[in-house]
């Protein structure tokens, strides 16, 4: 059993439901020690706060595994694999260009919080932008067919609305100490 963002059970002191889930979880872990695997996943600091929420948590979940965040290069590679799964290809130089662009647009905090999910989200938005770019390009149908599966750096560049949203998210994250 995997609990992603497990720290939410105790965030802001935890509510009655969260405390009940923790008590039930501890009971089940104790009663089924040999045939139950439970993984609590989440950001390091909020997970420490979760472990402090009940004295039984630390003793029953005493193994910690901290996974390193992906680098921009690794996120770019994940994005390329994601695009390939969707039958799109990266234009020449896009792998390197995407990493450079991410470093310009996103803060290290945003990159570490999004991590692998960032690659998937970037590709999905890029595919939408590719379609719009081709429709508005003035290309003839043969040119569009030739370019319809090739993602370029332009497709990954945030538009004005996305840029404003990124700025808002960055400000919010800087104020919220529950994030990494």
């Amino acid at each position: 059993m995997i609990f992603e963002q497990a720290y939410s059970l105790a965030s802001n002191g935890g509510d009655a439901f969260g405390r009940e889930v923790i008590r039930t979880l501890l009971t089940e872990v104790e009663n089924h020690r040999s045939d139950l695997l439970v993984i609590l996943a989440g950001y390091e600091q909020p997970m420490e706060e979760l472990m402090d929420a009940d004295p039984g948590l630390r003793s029953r979940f005493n193994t910690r595994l901290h996974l390193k965040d992906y680098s921009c290069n690794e996120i770019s590679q994940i994005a390329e694999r994601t695009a390939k799964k969707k039958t799109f290809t990266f234009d020449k130089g896009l792998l390197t260009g995407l990493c450079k662009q991410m470093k310009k647009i996103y803060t290290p905090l945003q990159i570490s919080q999004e991590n692998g999910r960032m690659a998937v989200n970037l590709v999905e938005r890029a595919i939408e932008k590719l379609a719009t770019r081709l429709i508005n390009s003035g290309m003839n149908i043969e040119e569009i067919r030739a370019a319809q599966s090739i993602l370029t750096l332009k497709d990954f560049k945030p538009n004005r609305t996305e840029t404003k949203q990124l700025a808002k998210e960055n400000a919010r994250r800087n104020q919220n100490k529950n994030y990494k």
Side-chain angles (χ1 to χ4, degrees):
M1 186 179 318
I2 298 175
F3 287 84
E4 244 189 81
Q5 298 179 346
Y7 51 79
S8 63
L9 294 171
S11 62
N12 299 323
D15 59 11
F17 176 74
R19 287 189 298 276
E20 182 63 27
V21 170
I22 291 170
R23 280 194 296 275
T24 302
L25 178 63
L26 290 172
T27 300
E28 293 303 310
V29 166
E30 187 62 33
N31 292 342
H32 300 279
R33 277 183 171 249
S34 61
D35 60 352
L36 178 65
L37 172 67
V38 178
I39 298 171
L40 303 178
Y43 295 116
E44 191 171 7
Q45 184 56 42
M47 289 301 293
E48 287 301 316
E49 293 168 16
L50 171 63
M51 291 295 120
D52 291 338
D54 188 288
L57 284 169
R58 280 199 193 277
S59 64
R60 288 180 185 84
F61 296 93
N62 54 11
T63 301
R64 308 279 189 283
L65 178 62
H66 180 72
L67 304 176
K68 287 179 59 179
D69 294 330
Y70 292 119
S71 69
C72 282
N73 287 329
E74 291 167 324
I75 292 172
S76 296
Q77 291 169 0
I78 294 168
E80 184 177 38
R81 284 194 297 274
T82 301
K84 281 182 182 176
K85 286 180 184 176
K86 297 175 181 276
T87 68
F88 290 88
T89 59
F90 271 28
D91 196 17
K92 187 175 182 173
L94 178 56
L95 200 60
T96 304
L98 181 57
C99 180
K100 287 178 185 175
Q101 183 169 285
M102 281 191 301
K103 287 179 180 179
K104 286 180 186 174
I105 296 170
Y106 302 99
T107 66
L109 181 63
Q110 286 171 310
I111 293 170
S112 72
Q113 289 173 349
E114 292 284 327
N115 225 340
R117 179 179 57 222
M118 176 179 271
V120 174
N121 291 339
L122 286 171
V123 169
E124 288 174 355
R125 287 192 303 263
I127 291 169
E128 292 172 11
K129 290 176 187 168
L130 167 66
T132 302
R133 180 173 57 81
L134 292 177
I135 288 169
N136 296 326
S137 70
M139 294 179 177
N140 65 41
I141 193 71
E142 290 81 24
E143 292 170 318
I144 290 175
R145 282 190 184 126
Q148 71 183 356
S149 65
I150 302 170
L151 295 169
T152 69
L153 192 56
K154 281 182 183 179
D155 302 319
F156 285 90
K157 188 173 182 184
N159 60 32
R160 286 185 189 140
T161 304
E162 291 169 327
T163 301
K164 287 179 186 178
Q165 183 63 31
L166 286 169
K168 284 181 185 178
E169 287 176 15
N170 190 35
R172 180 184 53 81
R173 285 178 174 156
N174 284 337
Q175 292 176 346
N176 185 349
K177 65 181 176 186
N178 278 341
Y179 280 87
K180 240 179 187 174

